[in-house]
């Protein structure tokens, strides 16, 4: 049961920031799974170099998506509600 005086629900912005932090924590697992996918691709033959180049392009593409995703996450988290409250308290003289 919830204690008296404690809110049952949190603010929408706080909730979204928490879910965004959860997503940021999942980035390394997501990246590792995507990087391991070429290991399960079928092998055509030892003389065929094309699947290897496709795998390398895929790996660099995944890396690029992870970098862009981390940058976008950073931009969104930069405006966290905790920082806004701390700035307001610092500017308060009393």
């Amino acid at each position: 049961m919830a204690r008296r005086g404690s809110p049952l629900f949190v603010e929408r912005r706080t909730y979204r920031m928490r879910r965004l932090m959860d997503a940021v924590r999942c980035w390394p697992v997501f990246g590792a799974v995507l990087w391991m996918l070429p290991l399960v691709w079928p092998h055509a033959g030892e003389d065929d170099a094309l699947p290897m180049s496709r795998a390398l392009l895929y790996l660099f593409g995944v890396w690029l998506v992870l970098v862009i995703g981390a940058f976008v996450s950073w931009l969104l988290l930069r405006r966290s509600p905790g920082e806004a409250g701390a700035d307001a308290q610092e500017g308060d003289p009393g």
Side-chain angles (χ1 to χ4, degrees):
M1 276 186 38
R3 288 189 244 146
R4 288 187 180 203
S6 65
L8 183 59
F9 299 104
V10 295
E11 290 181 43
R12 183 176 300 221
R13 183 174 174 142
T14 305
Y15 176 79
R16 288 183 179 167
M17 285 297 166
R18 287 182 183 179
R19 297 299 73 84
L20 184 60
M21 281 303 299
D22 291 343
V24 168
R25 288 183 187 112
C26 291
W27 272 113
V29 175
F30 180 65
V33 168
L34 287 177
W35 272 38
M36 288 186 214
L37 278 180
L39 295 175
V40 296
W41 287 352
H43 299 290
E46 293 183 23
D47 296 335
D48 192 13
L50 190 58
M52 179 59 108
S53 63
R54 285 184 183 162
L56 287 174
L57 288 174
Y58 172 81
L59 290 177
F60 281 111
V62 167
W63 175 77
L64 185 64
V65 167
L66 290 173
V67 169
I68 291 171
F71 179 72
V72 169
S73 307
W74 174 74
L75 286 177
L76 293 173
L77 285 174
R78 206 169 56 159
R79 296 176 282 162
S80 69
E83 290 177 12
D87 291 342
Q89 289 175 356
E90 287 176 10
D92 237 356

